[in-house]
Amino acid sequence: KSLNKDQKLELARMQEDGKEMENDLNGRMRSLVLSKEIPCLARLFIPIVILGNIALFLSGHLSLGGTVTLSGSFAGESFNVDGFFEFSIAKSTIEMWEAGAKALVM
Protein backbone atom coordinates (compact mmCIF):
# COMPACT_ATOMS: atom_id res chain seq x y z
CA LYS A 1 0.00 0.00 0.00
CA SER A 2 1.24 3.47 -0.85
CA LEU A 3 1.10 6.65 1.22
CA ASN A 4 -1.26 9.41 0.23
CA LYS A 5 -0.07 13.00 -0.34
CA ASP A 6 -0.74 14.17 3.25
CA GLN A 7 1.08 11.17 4.73
CA LYS A 8 4.08 11.80 2.47
CA LEU A 9 4.19 15.46 3.56
CA GLU A 10 3.96 14.44 7.23
CA LEU A 11 6.75 11.89 6.80
CA ALA A 12 8.96 14.48 5.07
CA ARG A 13 8.28 16.98 7.90
CA MET A 14 9.16 14.37 10.54
CA GLN A 15 12.41 13.51 8.72
CA GLU A 16 13.32 17.20 8.46
CA ASP A 17 12.63 17.70 12.18
CA GLY A 18 14.86 14.71 12.96
CA LYS A 19 17.68 16.14 10.85
CA GLU A 20 17.38 19.53 12.55
CA MET A 21 17.49 17.92 16.00
CA GLU A 22 20.52 15.84 15.01
CA ASN A 23 22.36 18.90 13.68
CA ASP A 24 21.52 20.82 16.88
CA LEU A 25 22.89 17.99 19.05
CA ASN A 26 26.02 17.68 16.90
CA GLY A 27 26.64 21.41 17.27
CA ARG A 28 26.28 21.38 21.07
CA MET A 29 27.94 18.09 21.98
CA ARG A 30 31.51 16.82 21.88
CA SER A 31 32.82 13.34 21.34
CA LEU A 32 33.74 11.37 24.46
CA VAL A 33 37.44 11.72 23.67
CA LEU A 34 37.19 15.51 23.71
CA SER A 35 34.70 15.74 26.59
CA LYS A 36 35.94 17.39 29.79
CA GLU A 37 33.45 15.35 31.86
CA ILE A 38 35.31 12.10 31.13
CA PRO A 39 38.56 11.71 33.11
CA CYS A 40 41.70 12.01 30.98
CA LEU A 41 42.90 8.55 32.03
CA ALA A 42 39.67 6.96 30.79
CA ARG A 43 39.77 8.93 27.52
CA LEU A 44 43.24 7.57 26.79
CA PHE A 45 42.95 4.12 28.33
CA ILE A 46 39.70 2.93 26.69
CA PRO A 47 40.99 3.13 23.07
CA ILE A 48 44.15 1.27 24.14
CA VAL A 49 42.03 -1.47 25.75
CA ILE A 50 39.90 -1.76 22.61
CA LEU A 51 42.99 -2.07 20.37
CA GLY A 52 44.46 -4.65 22.75
CA ASN A 53 41.21 -6.61 22.60
CA ILE A 54 41.32 -6.58 18.79
CA ALA A 55 44.94 -7.79 18.86
CA LEU A 56 44.09 -10.66 21.22
CA PHE A 57 41.09 -11.64 19.09
CA LEU A 58 43.20 -11.75 15.92
CA SER A 59 46.02 -13.60 17.66
CA GLY A 60 43.65 -16.25 18.98
CA HIS A 61 41.93 -16.80 15.66
CA LEU A 62 44.94 -16.71 13.35
CA SER A 63 47.44 -18.69 15.44
CA LEU A 64 47.74 -22.46 15.57
CA GLY A 65 44.92 -23.87 17.70
CA GLY A 66 46.14 -27.43 18.09
CA THR A 67 48.25 -30.21 16.66
CA VAL A 68 47.66 -33.95 16.42
CA THR A 69 50.78 -36.06 16.75
CA LEU A 70 50.52 -39.68 15.73
CA SER A 71 52.64 -42.23 17.58
CA GLY A 72 52.57 -45.99 17.65
CA SER A 73 54.46 -49.13 16.87
CA PHE A 74 54.29 -51.53 13.96
CA ALA A 75 56.18 -54.81 13.76
CA GLY A 76 58.14 -53.90 16.86
CA GLU A 77 59.25 -50.52 15.47
CA SER A 78 58.07 -47.32 17.13
CA PHE A 79 57.15 -44.34 15.03
CA ASN A 80 56.07 -40.74 15.55
CA VAL A 81 54.41 -38.48 13.02
CA ASP A 82 54.75 -34.95 14.34
CA GLY A 83 52.22 -32.47 13.02
CA PHE A 84 49.94 -35.18 11.59
CA PHE A 85 47.09 -32.65 11.65
CA GLU A 86 47.25 -28.99 12.59
CA PHE A 87 44.29 -26.69 12.92
CA SER A 88 43.35 -23.12 13.72
CA ILE A 89 40.07 -21.25 13.59
CA ALA A 90 41.12 -19.36 10.45
CA LYS A 91 42.27 -22.51 8.67
CA SER A 92 39.11 -24.41 9.64
CA THR A 93 36.96 -21.53 8.40
CA ILE A 94 38.74 -21.50 5.04
CA GLU A 95 38.40 -25.26 4.70
CA MET A 96 34.66 -25.10 5.48
CA TRP A 97 34.18 -22.32 2.91
CA GLU A 98 36.00 -24.34 0.25
CA ALA A 99 33.95 -27.45 1.14
CA GLY A 100 30.71 -25.50 0.56
CA ALA A 101 29.62 -25.10 4.18
CA LYS A 102 29.07 -21.37 3.69
CA ALA A 103 26.17 -21.25 6.18
CA LEU A 104 28.49 -22.47 8.96
CA VAL A 105 31.19 -19.98 8.03
CA MET A 106 28.84 -17.02 8.26
Side-chain angles (χ1 to χ4, degrees):
K1 185 177 175 182
S2 180
L3 299 176
N4 64 33
K5 185 177 180 181
D6 291 335
Q7 290 173 326
K8 289 179 184 177
L9 289 173
E10 179 65 20
L11 182 59
R13 187 191 61 76
M14 289 171 56
Q15 288 175 341
E16 186 62 34
D17 289 346
K19 287 179 186 177
E20 287 177 14
M21 189 167 65
E22 185 177 334
N23 288 336
D24 178 51
L25 283 173
N26 286 339
R28 292 187 295 133
M29 302 293 174
R30 294 184 180 174
S31 68
L32 290 177
V33 173
L34 300 176
S35 175
K36 299 298 180 197
E37 288 81 18
I38 308 295
C40 184
L41 183 63
R43 286 186 277 156
L44 297 175
F45 187 64
I46 289 174
I48 292 170
V49 168
I50 290 171
L51 290 174
N53 193 10
I54 291 169
L56 289 173
F57 178 85
L58 289 174
S59 171
H61 283 75
L62 298 178
S63 64
L64 183 63
T67 303
V68 175
T69 300
L70 194 61
S71 61
S73 64
F74 182 74
E77 292 289 321
S78 296
F79 64 90
N80 286 327
V81 181
D82 292 328
F84 178 73
F85 182 72
E86 296 178 342
F87 57 93
S88 69
I89 292 178
K91 186 176 176 183
S92 297
T93 303
I94 292 168
E95 289 173 354
M96 285 192 300
W97 183 270
E98 291 172 349
K102 293 177 173 56
L104 291 175
V105 172
M106 298 294 175

